[in-house]
Amino acid sequence: MGNSALKAHLETAQKTGVFQLTGKGLTEFPEDLQKLTSNLRTIDLSNNKIELLPPLIGKFSFLKSLALNNNKLTALPEELCKLKKLETLHLNGNHLRQLPAAFGQLSALKTLSLSGNQLQTVPTQLSGLRHLDVVDLSKNQIQNVPDTVGELQAIELNLNQNQISQISVQISHCPRLKVLRLEENCLELSMLPESILSDSQISLLAVEGNLFEIKKLRELEGYDKYMERFTATKKKFA
């Protein structure tokens, strides 16, 4: 891609606040974007070959949405955590193993997608995010869900297609969690905390494709309580 094409994209972005350059084989974050740190609200650089997000990302203080799906990122810079207005972060299909220590400072974050990375646990930093609605951690290498999950504020948590065999009972204490997706993991029925059914806010529990038959779930104590919530929610959206 030539400089003139990039220049045209930059001029458009200056007017619209949106910089979108996907599927162009970019190997690095366009340095020229730093001219627009106060203009940009949205950056989408998905489907490229970017390996590194430079520290200058921290200067985009008005950024609301950042998408870097299907790149080659192995780590994220701490500077990313300065984006106090960031509401949506899409990082599906990269090679991330962990999140920056200060990730909990992304105080406006509502939607976080990290599907198809190499995370091995549910990052503890997520528990500090007060406005988080949807967290997608599907298709990672997560084996257990730790106690810190109890402080997660998300409404929906997607853990499909991981290697989860253990879940902390604290997950039942999530104050806003309505949808919990655990399809295609390595859960035995005895490892599913019964309090998810009997004593949580969860009204949609998806557990197909684990090491037990779904009909066995219906025999658990607390299943009736879960079904009451499930049905009430269905009625609300009907």
Side-chain angles (χ1 to χ4, degrees), residues 31-91:
E31 290 259 316
D32 285 348
L33 280 186
Q34 57 188 329
K35 298 170 188 161
L36 301 177
T37 47
S38 56
N39 299 64
L40 290 184
R41 304 292 186 270
T42 299
I43 295 176
D44 185 353
L45 292 165
S46 297
N47 304 311
N48 282 295
K49 295 173 181 172
I50 298 168
E51 292 180 22
L52 216 58
L53 199 52
L56 71 89
I57 191 66
K59 295 182 178 164
F60 292 90
S61 43
F62 297 99
L63 202 61
K64 283 192 163 181
S65 172
L66 176 60
L68 285 153
N69 296 326
N70 305 316
N71 275 282
K72 294 179 182 267
L73 298 171
T74 52
L76 300 170
E78 288 289 339
E79 286 79 4
L80 177 71
C81 309
K82 293 180 180 167
L83 302 179
K84 297 287 183 238
K85 290 196 160 51
L86 195 67
E87 294 178 7
T88 309
L89 180 57
H90 292 294
L91 294 162

Side-chain angles (χ1 to χ4, degrees), residues 72-76 91 93-101 114-125 137 139-143 162-163:
K72 294 179 182 267
L73 298 171
T74 52
L76 300 170
L91 294 162
N94 280 283
H95 309 293
L96 300 169
R97 291 173 183 273
Q98 57 195 43
L99 298 179
L114 285 159
S115 180
N117 278 281
Q118 294 169 17
L119 299 173
Q120 302 196 339
T121 183
V122 176
T124 54
Q125 296 94 313
L137 300 174
K139 300 182 186 171
N140 275 280
Q141 297 161 14
I142 298 170
Q143 295 177 9
N162 276 285
Q163 299 153 20

Side-chain angles (χ1 to χ4, degrees), residues 163-232:
Q163 299 153 20
I164 297 167
S165 58
Q166 279 183 313
I167 299 182
S168 166
V169 67
Q170 296 296 328
I171 200 161
S172 336
H173 298 161
C174 290
R176 298 167 71 216
L177 192 61
K178 299 277 195 287
V179 179
L180 177 58
R181 302 187 187 279
L182 286 162
E183 293 179 16
E184 295 178 51
N185 275 286
C186 309
L187 281 168
E188 304 269 359
L189 191 56
S190 58
M191 286 295 165
L192 191 71
E194 254 180 60
S195 54
I196 290 178
L197 297 172
S198 60
D199 192 23
S200 78
Q201 302 286 321
I202 296 166
S203 56
L204 177 63
L205 175 64
V207 286
E208 285 78 5
N210 278 281
L211 308 178
F212 59 87
E213 293 175 54
I214 291 296
K215 65 178 185 204
K216 294 275 188 227
L217 186 69
R218 296 178 195 135
E219 293 163 16
L220 290 183
E221 212 169 308
Y223 188 77
D224 294 351
K225 274 192 168 172
Y226 161 68
M227 279 315 287
E228 280 171 25
R229 295 192 303 273
F230 177 81
T231 313

Side-chain angles (χ1 to χ4, degrees), residues 111-152:
T111 303
L112 174 63
S113 304
L114 285 159
S115 180
N117 278 281
Q118 294 169 17
L119 299 173
Q120 302 196 339
T121 183
V122 176
T124 54
Q125 296 94 313
L126 301 187
S127 301
L129 297 168
R130 292 280 161 255
H131 299 287
L132 211 48
D133 290 335
V134 179
V135 182
D136 185 354
L137 300 174
S138 60
K139 300 182 186 171
N140 275 280
Q141 297 161 14
I142 298 170
Q143 295 177 9
N144 66 354
V145 180
D147 287 348
T148 47
V149 76
E151 293 164 41
L152 190 69

